[in-house]
Every structure is written in C-alpha cells, then in structure tokens.
C-alpha cells in the first residue's frame, strides 16, 4: 500500500511541534477576539452523497454523539464545526447542575460545546447540542426538507480532539422526494461549490466503499474545482460492508482515482449500533480490531481508521496553513492597518477642552452647509444630484411645470363664464364685454397658484432636511449622539422658524397678483385685439364695408349689446322657432298663454339653454383675455417664488446658521453632556482596540515562521 506523505510514515509522526504550537497560538488569538475574524484560516469542507456516512465520520473524530439522525436530508444547513483541544483539568466551569439532569451518559466537565448564536452558554450534555442544531435548523428552514446556506457555528472544547475546523454540508441528492424543492439537487450543489471553490479549503470527500468509486458524487464534485486532486482527501466508509474477497487496497494505492492527499478507510457504527446506542469508544475499538485483523489491511492498519484520519487532517491543515502563511501575513498586515485607521477615526476616549471641541464642530458644520448648498463640496457625486442642485431641480422642473399645469378653464366652463357675465352686468344688459367678469374670473384662478407655490417652499424645506441628515451621518456625529440630536433639533427648529416668513412672502406674492389686475401690462392682449381675433375667427371672409360717400373702409362695429331681454323670442317669432340663449329651454316649455301670465321666476334660476352666437363670442373674448393675463402671472410667479424662497429660507440659513447653533448649544453647563460618546462608539473602540491588539499579537506569531 502506498504511503500518502513522508511525514506520516509512523502513526505518531504529526509534524514539527513548534509549528503546531505557533498555529495553536494563532488560532487562540482569533478565538479570543470578540468580533468577526478578519482572517479566513484554511478549513476542511466535508462533502459526500446523502447518507454516505459524513455525520458518523465527524462524530467519530469528535468522539461523541451530537449530530441529528434520521432519513432523507438531515443536514439542511452548513455546520461549521470548530474542534478546540484543551487540557484535561478538574475545573467545574459551573456546569454541575446541567450534569445532574443530563441524559448524556458520557457527559463530563472536561468537554462542552458552544454555539455562536448563543454566546456564553456551554452545553455539557451533547444530546442538547443535537436538539439545538435541530431547533436552529427548523427556525431557519422550517420542518420541511428545504435547505439554507446560513451556517450554524459550533465549537467543541475537549482534551480528546485535535485542533480542526470542519464544515459539514448537506449530502448530495439527485431526485427530490416528499416535500423537497424540485431544484433541491441544484441548491445543494451550489452551496457545496461555494465552499469548496475557495483555494484555502481542503475537500474531505466521503464515499461509501461498497459502491463504485467512479460514481462517487463527492469525488466528482471535488474534481470539478480541484481537477488535479491537490487539496482533496478521500474517506472511504462502510469498508466492513464490502463483499467477501473485495477490498479498497487499489484505491488506497492511488491506482483508481489518485489524490495527492490520499485516502483513509474508516469503519463507522451501523444503523443497528446507533439504535442500540453503542458508545463511540466501543465503535472505535471495534474499528481498530477490524483493520488489525483484516488480511488486506493489517499490514497497514496504522494508516487506517478514525484516529489516523484525525491526525492526518490535523497535519494537512497545519501544512496548508504553513503554505498559506505569506497570504495570511499579508491579510493580517492589511487588517491591522484598517483597524488602526478606524481606531484613529474613532479618536481617543480622553478628550481635550469641551468648549473648543464644540466650537470647532459648529464651525465645521456651518462651513460644510454652505459648501453643499453652493456646490463647492469636495465630495461631489457623479451619479446623482445633491445639495443645491436638487433645490434648483425643485425650482426649475417641479415648480415651473406644476404652475404651468394649472389650467384656468378646468374648473371654469363656458356656461360658468356666461353666468358670471350676466351677474356682473346687474339689472342692465351690458353693451360691451364686462371688465368686472374678467377680473372676477382671473382673480379666482390666480389664487389657485398659492397651493403649488407653498408646495415649492415645502419641497425646498425637505431638501434642506435631507442635506442636514446627510451631514449628520458622518462618523463624527455618530460618535456623539447627544450632540448629533442637539444639532438636529436646533437646525430643524431654525428651519421651521424660517418657514413662517417664507410662506408669508409666498402668499403675499400671490395676493399681490390677485388684488390688482394690471390690464395695462405691455404683454397683455387688450379687449379690442381680443374682439378682433374672435370676429376674424367667426367671420373670416366678411367683406370690408366702404363708406359710399367717402369711399373709405368703415371700422369694425363694436360688439352689439346682448338683447335687452335674452329670454324672449324675437318679435313675431313662432312657437316652433329655435330658441337658444340663457333661458332658452326654460321658456321653450311654456306656451304664449302661460308666458302672458308672467309667473314669478323659480327660487333658483340657472342657465338651461345653449349659448347663443353672441354669448359664444363674448365667452371666447373673456377666455382670450384670461389666458393672456394668466400667462403673465404664471411667468411672474415662476420667477419670483424661487427668489422669495431663496431669500427667506435658503440664504437665511447660510447666513444665520452658525449664530443660531452658537446661541443654542454653546452653553458651559451643557458642553460635557453634548460630548458624551455613544454606546456604539465606546463598544466599537473597544472592539478595534481588541482587534488591533490581537492582530498585533498574530503578526508577531506568524513572523516567527520563516
């Protein structure tokens, strides 16, 4: 049988004790760090087909029963198993009460497990470890056969294990059964590949010896990411179940599928042994006897079995760490630099003069405020608008388009204009288009511009709050939450105070436009021009009348007055004649006899007939005048409202912000309270200090290995 590696020529030949000591120190350094380990040390990933014996191999390595059992997919989340060797001492660790009620006959004070999701809790009863794995799995994926990539981290401390990091993954399956998702094979495959494709992962491919090695799912997947077999070690289970006269000697010799790290045959407990609760110690003894007495393996029995596998894995991991030490050194160096810089950013816990610090912070904040609004910020974004540019967008896009979208005739219809024309003329029918009707309508529509104008001021206010939030999101203010909250409250109150004169000025601008209708505006379409446009539209081919005496063209006649009584038929008209006009349909239902009776008008008198030709012309003239003047007002508001908001809100904050902050914050009795650090800053500084200390220690350790 081929010997896998020279250093394993004897069962006890593990490796240089000095290297193991250094690596153990390195592992201890990162184990004691209370934050995420920035250095990914090499780990061993266990892969294989469903029920190939992966869980039994892990339990034999640990020497305890602790993994869930059952049919189908039992391992449904990655289990990151960290085995940590500890000296066998008599320390009780406070677990006597758990041992007293333990259902685990092998429970003792020298071995326990800890879960990352339950920090500080020690499990001396390994049956409870099994229950917690099942409970945590179901908490994530439920009771069905689904899987999750979220790992469960378990540390086992024992004097009977070697320092190892193993990851147990769900077993490969081909056909979904029961409640399993239809793509269960792809899900498991993707999860396994994610772990084994990393160059620092050692692949532990578990295969049942009583099946054809060429059909091994674990080896097949390992070859995809490690085609040369440089970082794959094979484990052959169920060697005792092979047919008589067959063995795995050719596989161990590398004549079937060669692997640089070789193969190790093991014998696990069978299902009957598990059901009968056969102790693992007895199973390991039975395994030793099997290899010692089997004619094919007894000459090389020292290279078979679980104890040899554990030592070999320990050695492989140590050798792999040694090979990756240059990369580990580089990662430690970069991480040390990163956490040192963060620690400098967090600053020392002992501060200087509080008054000077507050003054500097206020000055820096107000300078940044002006720079962001003016577009002079050094951190200008190239992907989105920010600061003053967003305010410009509010003015020239949102507000401008919002004002232009206000249609003066979406609420005032032609029939409404007709009623206003009649009402504005009083008891006497008007001779010309009434100025009063025009002013009444246009004033009503101008007042509608107040809402979008106030909305514009509100949007600018929101943008100022947005800028404030961005400025206060920096690490400096995260460090001092009380100071951050105080600045936020003072500035928000300052904004609200500035909004009052801003809204008043905006309302006054609208009131100015509606209180005086300047029909003498040079851009205004006057009444004569409007009348000419409407007449030309209705009589485009009307011949020019000439004075027979002088031969000169006569001027266009003024608009005739509405009929003295728009409700009556023309003199001599018949009942069946068309009767349009203001009250056309009202009187159309009456006969002459009833008309002669002169009944009193109804309580509510509304227009009921279609517009007459004359009324149509008058309405069109009024609409032309309203449109002309409304456009003038629109342009004025689009120009003036942003100026009003800039004056009373934006520019005001730039000019008065520092004064406001100093008046409300620079008080001697409150300075120390404002500079009280957040729990996060205190905790993060402690974490960074611990990380820097640990990384410095780790750097010293790895520097001893040349």
């Amino acid at each position: 049988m081929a010997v896998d590696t020279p250093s394993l020529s004897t069962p006890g030949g593990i490796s240089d004790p000095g290297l193991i000591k250094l690596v153990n120190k390195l592992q201890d350094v990162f184990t004691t760090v209370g934050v995420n380990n920035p250095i990914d040390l090499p780990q061993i990933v266990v892969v294989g087909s469903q029920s190939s014996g992966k869980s039994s191999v892990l339990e034999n390595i640990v020497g305890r029963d602790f993994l869930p059992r059952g049919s189908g997919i039992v391992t449904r989340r990655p289990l990151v198993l960290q085995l940590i060797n500890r000296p066998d001492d008599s320390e009780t660790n406070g677990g006597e009460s758990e041992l007293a009620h333990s259902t685990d006959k092998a429970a003792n004070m020298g071995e326990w497990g800890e879960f990352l999701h339950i920090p500080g809790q020690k499990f001396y009863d390994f049956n409870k470890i099994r229950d917690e794995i099942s409970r945590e799995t179901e908490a994530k994926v439920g009771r069905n056969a689904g899987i999750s990539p979220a790992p469960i981290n378990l540390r086992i401390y024992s004097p009977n294990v070697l320092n190892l990091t193993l990851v147990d993954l769900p077993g490969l399956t081909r056909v979904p059964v029961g409640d399993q998702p239809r793509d269960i094979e792809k899900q498991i495959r993707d999860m396994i590949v994610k772990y084994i494709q990393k160059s620092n992962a050692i692949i532990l491919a578990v295969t049942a010896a009583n099946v054809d090695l060429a059909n091994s799912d674990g080896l097949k997947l390992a070859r995809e990411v490690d085609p040369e077999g440089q970082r794959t070690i094979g484990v052959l289970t169920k060697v005792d179940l092979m047919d008589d006269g067959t063995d795995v000697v050719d596989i161990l010799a590398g004549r079937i599928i060669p692997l640089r790290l070789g193969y190790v045959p093991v014998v696990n407990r069978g299902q009957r042994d598990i059901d009968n609760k056969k102790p693992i110690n007895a199973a390991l003894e039975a395994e030793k006897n099997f290899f010692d007495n089997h004619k094919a393996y007894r000459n090389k029995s020292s290279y078979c079995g679980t104890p040899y596998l554990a030592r070999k894995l320990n050695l492989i991991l140590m050798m792999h760490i040694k090979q990756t030490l240059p990369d580990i050194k580089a990662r430690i160096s970069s991480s040390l630099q990163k956490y040192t810089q963060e620690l400098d950013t967090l600053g020392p816990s002992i501060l200087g003069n509080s008054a000077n610090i507050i003054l500097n912070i206020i000055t820096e904040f107000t300078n940044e405020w002006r720079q962001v609004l003016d577009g002079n910020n050094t951190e200008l974004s190239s992907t989105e608008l920010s600061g003053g540019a967003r305010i410009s967008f509010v003015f020239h896009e949102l507000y401008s388009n919002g004002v232009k979208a206000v249609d003066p005739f979406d609420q005032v219809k032609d029939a409404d204009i007709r009623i206003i024309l009649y009402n504005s003329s009083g008891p006497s029918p008007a001779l010309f288009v009434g100025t009063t009707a025009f002013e009444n309508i246009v004033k009503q529509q101008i007042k509608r511009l107040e809402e979008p104008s106030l909305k514009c001021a509100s949007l600018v206010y929101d943008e100022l709050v947005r800028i404030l939030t961005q400025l206060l999101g920096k690490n400096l203010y995260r460090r001092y939450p009380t100071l951050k909250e105080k600045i936020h409250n003072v500035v928000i109150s300052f904004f609200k105070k500035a909004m009052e004169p801003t809204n008043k000025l905006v309302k006054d601008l609208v009131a100015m436009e509606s209180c005086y209708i300047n029909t003498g505006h040079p851009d205004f379409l006057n009444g004569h021009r409007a009348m000419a446009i409407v007449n030309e539209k209705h009589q485009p081919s009307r011949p020019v009348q000439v004075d027979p005496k002088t031969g000169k063209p006569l001027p266009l006649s003024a608009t005739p007055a509405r009929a003295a009584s728009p409700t009556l038929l023309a003199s001599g008209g018949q009942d069946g004649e068309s009767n349009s006009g203001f009250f056309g349909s009202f009187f159309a239902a009456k006969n002459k006899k009833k008309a002669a009776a002169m009944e009193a008008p109804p309580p509510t008198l509304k227009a009921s007939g279609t517009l007459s030709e004359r009324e149509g012309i008058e309405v069109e003239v009024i609409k032309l005048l309203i449109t002309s003047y409304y456009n003038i007002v629109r342009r004025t508001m689009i120009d003036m409202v942003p100026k009003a908001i800039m004056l009373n809100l934006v520019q005001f904050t730039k000019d008065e912000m520092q004064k406001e902050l100093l008046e409300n914050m620079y008080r001697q009795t409150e300075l120390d309270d404002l500079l009280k650090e957040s729990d996060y800053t205190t905790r993060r500084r402690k974490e960074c200090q611990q990380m820097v200390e640990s990384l410095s220690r780790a750097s010293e350790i790895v520097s001893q290995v040349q």
Side-chain angles (χ1 to χ4, degrees):
M1 187 184 302
V3 178
D4 300 303
T5 56
S7 59
L8 286 173
S9 57
T10 62
I14 298 199
S15 92
D16 178 14
L19 177 60
I20 293 179
K21 185 176 180 181
L22 288 173
V23 172
N24 286 341
K25 285 182 180 179
L26 188 61
Q27 290 178 331
D28 290 343
V29 164
F30 293 121
T31 300
T32 56
V33 175
V35 292
N36 291 332
N37 187 354
I39 311 301
D40 291 328
L41 294 176
Q43 59 189 6
I44 299 172
V45 181
V46 186
V47 298
S49 60
Q50 184 175 313
S51 303
S52 62
K54 296 189 290 65
S55 297
S56 295
V57 171
L58 292 177
E59 286 186 333
N60 282 3
I61 291 175
V62 174
R64 299 291 296 275
D65 284 298
F66 68 98
L67 292 174
R69 296 282 183 175
S71 60
I73 302 178
V74 178
T75 305
R76 294 189 287 146
R77 291 176 60 181
L79 176 66
V80 179
L81 181 62
Q82 297 175 329
L83 305 183
I84 300 175
N85 179 269
R86 61 179 299 276
D88 190 6
D89 54 34
S90 57
E91 183 182 352
T92 61
N93 297 314
E96 301 89 339
S97 59
E98 183 176 341
L99 289 179
H101 302 88
S102 174
T103 59
D104 184 0
K105 295 181 180 179
N108 63 84
M109 296 307 301
E111 295 179 292
W112 71 85
E114 294 181 5
F115 288 96
L116 185 64
H117 62 273
I118 314 177
Q121 182 173 342
K122 296 181 179 180
F123 290 79
Y124 295 93
D125 186 339
F126 277 56
N127 290 333
K128 291 184 178 180
I129 292 180
R130 179 188 298 113
D131 296 338
E132 179 59 27
I133 292 174
S134 299
R135 190 200 66 78
E136 183 65 13
T137 298
E138 291 179 2
K140 190 71 176 179
V141 297
R143 293 182 177 272
N144 63 13
I147 65 171
S148 168
I152 298 175
N153 290 68
L154 170 63
R155 284 182 178 176
I156 291 181
Y157 296 83
S158 170
N160 304 319
V161 299
L162 296 175
N163 290 325
L164 283 176
T165 300
L166 305 109
V167 181
D168 186 23
L169 298 175
L172 288 160
T173 184
R174 296 184 181 276
V175 181
V177 295
D179 295 333
Q180 292 178 358
R182 307 308 299 174
D183 63 340
I184 187 69
E185 179 184 5
K186 181 178 183 301
Q187 289 186 31
I188 295 176
R189 179 185 174 87
D190 291 346
M191 181 191 299
I192 293 175
V193 170
K194 180 181 177 182
Y195 277 88
I196 65 177
Q197 68 184 358
K198 298 176 181 178
S199 60
N200 64 347
I202 300 296
I203 305 170
L204 186 67
V206 180
T207 303
N210 57 352
V211 299
D212 190 349
L213 192 66
N215 296 325
S216 169
D217 293 329
L219 280 176
K220 180 182 177 183
L221 200 56
R223 293 292 290 269
E224 291 183 12
V225 298
D226 181 30
E228 302 298 325
Q230 296 296 306
R231 51 187 181 91
T232 303
I233 178 172
V235 176
L236 301 174
T237 62
K238 304 181 183 180
V239 178
D240 56 327
L241 301 181
M242 296 182 69
D243 296 335
D244 291 340
T246 60
D247 53 50
V248 293
V249 172
D250 286 343
I251 298 175
L252 297 178
R255 290 191 284 266
I256 308 298
I257 299 178
L259 297 176
R260 187 179 71 85
L261 300 177
Y263 294 85
V264 177
V266 297
V267 174
N268 298 327
R269 293 177 300 169
Q271 189 60 47
R272 180 179 297 178
D273 295 332
I274 296 173
D275 294 339
N276 293 334
K277 301 188 183 304
K278 182 178 182 178
I280 290 184
N281 288 339
L284 292 175
E285 185 64 27
E287 178 188 50
K288 182 178 185 302
N289 293 333
F290 173 83
F291 287 116
D292 286 344
N293 299 318
H294 196 286
K295 62 181 181 180
Y297 309 117
R298 59 190 173 201
N299 292 333
K300 294 292 183 181
S301 62
S302 58
Y303 300 103
C304 304
T306 302
Y308 172 74
L309 173 63
R311 293 194 301 270
K312 180 165 183 167
L313 291 178
N314 176 262
L315 172 63
I316 289 173
L317 191 58
M318 296 306 107
M319 292 174 62
H320 195 55
I321 291 175
K322 188 172 183 179
Q323 292 172 358
T324 56
L325 269 179
D327 181 55
I328 292 175
K329 288 180 180 179
R331 293 184 186 180
I332 291 175
S333 177
S334 61
S335 297
L336 182 58
Q337 182 180 1
K338 169 190 170 186
Y339 284 101
T340 302
Q341 289 177 348
E342 184 177 354
L343 193 59
D344 292 340
T345 303
L346 293 171
S349 55
I350 302 176
L351 300 170
N353 184 276
S354 299
N356 291 339
I357 293 174
I358 294 291
L359 183 60
N360 290 336
I361 290 176
I362 290 176
T363 303
E364 182 180 350
F365 176 82
T366 52
N367 288 337
E368 283 186 313
W369 179 262
R370 296 188 188 100
Q371 290 172 356
V372 171
L373 287 177
D374 293 338
N376 297 327
N377 189 20
T378 56
E379 300 175 1
L380 288 177
S381 172
S382 60
T383 58
E384 62 176 353
L385 294 181
S386 61
R390 291 180 62 93
I391 295 176
S392 175
F393 178 81
V394 171
F395 288 153
H396 303 296
E397 293 293 332
L398 299 182
Y399 178 63
S400 177
N401 293 332
V403 170
K404 291 175 182 176
V406 179
D407 182 4
F409 302 115
D410 60 355
Q411 295 182 359
V412 180
K413 307 301 181 184
D414 290 1
D416 301 325
I417 296 176
R418 175 173 63 170
I419 291 176
I420 294 173
L421 282 170
Y422 276 104
N423 285 338
S424 63
S425 62
S428 302
L431 295 176
F432 302 98
V433 175
T435 302
T436 305
F438 160 74
E439 289 193 356
N440 285 340
I441 297 172
V442 83
K443 285 181 178 180
Q444 292 176 8
Q445 300 311 307
I446 289 174
K447 290 177 181 177
R448 292 178 60 193
L449 298 179
E450 182 177 294
E451 181 181 349
S453 300
L454 292 175
K455 178 68 174 178
C456 178
S458 177
L459 290 174
V460 174
Y461 172 89
D462 292 341
E463 290 303 321
L464 295 181
V465 174
R466 178 190 179 93
I467 296 172
L468 171 65
T469 304
Q470 289 175 343
L471 291 180
L472 293 180
K474 296 189 174 182
N475 289 332
L476 172 65
Y477 304 103
R478 191 175 183 179
R479 178 180 180 182
Y480 306 118
T482 307
L483 176 66
K484 176 181 177 180
E485 183 180 4
K486 183 68 174 179
I487 292 178
H488 184 273
N489 293 339
V490 170
V491 175
I492 291 295
S493 176
F494 180 52
F495 288 165
K496 290 179 179 179
K497 184 170 65 174
M499 279 296 287
E500 295 178 6
T502 302
N503 287 337
K504 183 179 185 306
L505 182 54
V506 169
K507 290 179 180 179
D508 288 346
L509 286 174
V510 178
M512 286 162 49
E513 293 293 336
S514 62
C515 78
Y516 177 66
I517 307 302
N518 181 20
T519 54
H521 194 284
D523 296 336
F524 180 60
L525 181 69
N526 58 44
H528 296 293
R529 178 61 184 151
M531 181 61 70
I533 292 173
V534 173
N535 283 335
E536 184 177 347
K537 175 182 176 183
H538 284 269
Q539 299 175 350
S541 59
R542 181 178 180 182
V544 178
Q545 296 182 351
V546 180
D547 189 334
K549 295 182 179 180
T550 62
K552 296 180 179 180
L554 294 173
L556 292 173
S557 59
T559 304
R562 290 190 293 274
S565 178
T567 64
L568 298 179
L569 297 170
S571 178
Q574 301 300 318
D575 289 346
E577 290 180 355
S578 175
N579 190 7
S580 63
F582 191 84
F583 303 109
S585 61
F586 178 78
F587 281 96
K590 313 293 182 181
N591 54 34
K592 287 186 177 181
K593 185 174 181 181
K594 289 186 177 181
M598 293 182 63
E599 296 178 358
T604 302
L605 197 55
K606 296 181 178 179
S608 54
T610 58
L611 272 69
S612 66
E613 180 182 357
R614 181 61 53 202
E615 290 170 343
I617 291 174
E618 293 174 348
V619 168
E620 285 192 40
V621 170
I622 289 290
K623 290 175 71 174
L624 273 177
L625 296 176
I626 292 173
T627 300
S628 174
Y629 196 80
Y630 205 65
N631 287 336
I632 295 172
V633 176
R634 275 199 190 111
R635 291 194 298 270
T636 303
M637 298 304 292
I638 290 173
D639 179 57
M640 294 301 296
V641 168
K643 293 178 179 178
I645 296 173
M646 284 298 298
L647 174 66
N648 278 9
L649 184 58
V650 180
Q651 188 63 40
F652 182 72
T653 62
K654 289 167 59 178
D655 295 340
E656 302 295 328
M657 177 80 76
Q658 187 167 8
K659 176 183 175 184
E660 187 76 13
L661 289 172
L662 288 173
E663 288 179 354
N664 288 275
M665 295 178 59
Y666 201 69
R667 297 170 181 170
Q668 200 65 38
T669 56
E670 301 179 2
L671 295 180
D672 291 336
D673 292 336
L674 292 177
L675 293 179
K676 184 179 179 181
E677 290 186 325
S678 66
D679 293 338
Y680 167 82
T681 301
T682 305
R683 184 180 69 254
R684 187 59 182 165
R685 182 188 292 109
K686 183 178 180 181
E687 290 174 355
C688 288
Q689 288 172 341
Q690 187 178 12
M691 185 65 83
V692 168
E693 181 181 348
S694 300
L695 288 168
S696 300
R697 178 66 182 140
S699 180
E700 294 176 8
I701 293 173
V702 296
S703 65
Q704 298 176 28
V705 182
Q706 300 301 326

